[in-house]
Amino acid sequence: MADVARLAGVGMGTVSRALNNSPGVAEATRKRVLEVAEQLAYVVSPEASKLRPGTTGRVAVVVPHIARWFFAEMLEGVEAALREAGLDVLLYHVGGAEDRREFFQRLPARRKVDAVVAVAFPVTAAEQQRLELMGVHIVASGGQMASYPYVCIDDAEAARKAVGHLIFLGHRRIGMIAAVDPDEPGWPATLGRSEGYYQALASAGLVPEPELVRTVNWGGNEGAEAMSQLLALPAPPTAVYAHSDEVALGAIRTIRRAGLRVPEDISVIGIDDHPLAELTDLTTVHQSVRDQGLRAGRMVVALINGREAELSFTAPTELVIRRTTAPPSR
Amino acid sequence: MADVARLAGVGMGTVSRALNNSPGVAEATRKRVLEVAEQLAYVVSPEASKLRPGTTGRVAVVVPHIARWFFAEMLEGVEAALREAGLDVLLYHVGGAEDRREFFQRLPARRKVDAVVAVAFPVTAAEQQRLELMGVHIVASGGQMASYPYVCIDDAEAARKAVGHLIFLGHRRIGMIAAVDPDEPGWPATLGRSEGYYQALASAGLVPEPELVRTVNWGGNEGAEAMSQLLALPAPPTAVYAHSDEVALGAIRTIRRAGLRVPEDISVIGIDDHPLAELTDLTTVHQSVRDQGLRAGRMVVALINGREAELSFTAPTELVIRRTTAPPSR
């Protein structure tokens, strides 16, 4: 009613009289009040009224990157699940480790949110404890953190599928372009995706050669640079496994610019099934990132509503053979 | 103090006595209260205390897509500008027109935000009026809307640069793969990017041929399908201009799968300078989407703070020649 009064430019008493059809209100004023009231009738949102007392109806989604495909896709899934449940999404882009530390110090006490979704970065035990102390739930989306609920893929298994495919085709000199995030040296995706490479080689009886492994920051240009180094070796690999599709696409650019053909001269495989992997005919290991986001979002909703929640989910991955892998020609 | 009491599991009086070092509080209790109080000392966030009275400190960023590059990149820019100013970002993904209608009916009256950033979709005059009525500012990011502040590129100019480059190389049969969003039939990017094609042809004295123009939904697979139709023509184009890089990459896949070479047999150019354009050596017209987002975010901050604001900005575009365009071979 205060809103109606303010917007109609009249006092509360006038609003009351206008709505109750009482005398003493000019017809034009009554009309204006009724119009404003009608507009505001949209207001009562069903979900808002369902909020449990003491909750904010908001969830913080914290991402180290927004514009990179993996993070944007994850965010889209999380947002869809939260919106479905009538919760609002507060988006926080926290870049480096320092940013994150500050975020976790400030956020919970501001009592702004009921839960935090951490997309693909680790939350320390102290930060987690602080959130819990304030009654703020936490879920990891895109990465496994044993100590709180999470959704992830089995990175080592994805890597074994990729490298296993190259071995199956007959490759023996298989390079790896490993990707790390300088802000998250311990992030498990990197470890798992490297571990799977060594596991696949070992199970085929192949001895890993350190010179065939290059480690770069995530990104296409970085993959391109690593590939230059591999091509400069006296005996370059006949196939390259990259930690992500973007890294793989960078490697392919280098190979093509060197006048070599993919897959005739060198095979390349990535991980992700980035939408442009299909467009560029890249062989890869598929993961459904949006689906992981949806599941993480639904976990959050269950936790907030005090419902029984599945506390971890490992999403499936699948080898997708396209046109960048073939048997070795030499 | 109420927060400290709640978290320490004691009454307000106990908190007061503990903090003031008054007698009558067990040592263990005092210690707990002090610990909790210390943790909460992080609380007072400098930006929150700077909020103008009656404002929420939150801005709604409304996007029709999250995971598509253009939208994610724009969101990253907007978020950075708002965060810099200590404002929180509420993210709303509104898919279709119906979704959007509902959003604009509900949001302003919930008094949740001080402003709305509409990323690349039109807001109707009625929706705009409703926002203004509630004192909620509105800025369009990625698209020109004469009636409220906006940041955009000159889509027709970008198109003229792309098609002009093909004409300069000597092409005369130039196809266009135009992209539309089924949810936004009137969205200006499509119109401008088509208009620029016809303008460039006209200024070179070329007569447009309707069979050389295909209209599809935004997306790589859609571009691939349109290219199949163009290749099936009795006289296919020698060069193709696509409304976006993703559409262009789809077209290139079709050309390569048909056993033809890019650019030797057919040249292809896009618009955007998507990060993968560099990786795939795609010739395109660059726009800095993140910078547009930053500018839109800063416009919002100025409007909220009642400062003099630049009310429109048209970002520059630039032709980037890579390896998918060359003179025609026939």
Side-chain angles (χ1 to χ4, degrees), chain A residues 59-61 63 71-91 117 119 141 289-290 292-298 300-301, chain B residues 61-67 75 89-95 99 103:
Chain A
V59 172
V61 182
V63 292
F71 299 89
E73 188 84 10
M74 190 69 84
L75 179 58
E76 184 165 309
V78 172
E79 197 270 354
L82 297 178
R83 183 165 35 97
E84 198 177 78
L87 294 164
D88 280 325
V89 171
L90 274 177
L91 175 65
V117 179
V119 177
S141 186
V289 178
R290 190 174 191 278
Q292 291 172 61
L294 272 173
R295 292 207 173 239
R298 291 192 186 126
V300 167
V301 173
Chain B
V61 182
V62 187
V63 292
H65 308 278
I66 296 176
L75 179 58
V89 171
L90 274 177
L91 175 65
Y92 292 97
H93 180 199
V94 290
D99 248 25
F103 172 82

Side-chain angles (χ1 to χ4, degrees), chain A residues 276-289:
Chain A
L276 292 192
E278 191 191 348
L279 284 186
T280 52
D281 275 333
L282 179 69
T283 298
T284 187
V285 177
H286 172 84
Q287 63 168 324
S288 173
V289 178

Side-chain angles (χ1 to χ4, degrees), chain A residues 63-124:
Chain A
V63 292
H65 307 279
I66 296 176
R68 289 195 196 171
W69 168 78
F70 177 88
F71 299 89
E73 188 84 10
M74 190 69 84
L75 179 58
E76 184 165 309
V78 172
E79 197 270 354
L82 297 178
R83 183 165 35 97
E84 198 177 78
L87 294 164
D88 280 325
V89 171
L90 274 177
L91 175 65
Y92 293 97
H93 179 199
V94 289
E98 173 61 23
D99 247 26
R100 275 202 286 285
R101 200 182 56 80
E102 208 182 296
F103 173 83
F104 280 104
Q105 280 177 350
R106 283 199 180 158
L107 178 89
R110 286 197 226 149
R111 188 76 38 76
K112 283 183 172 178
V113 298
D114 304 326
V116 167
V117 179
V119 177
F121 68 86
V123 175
T124 69

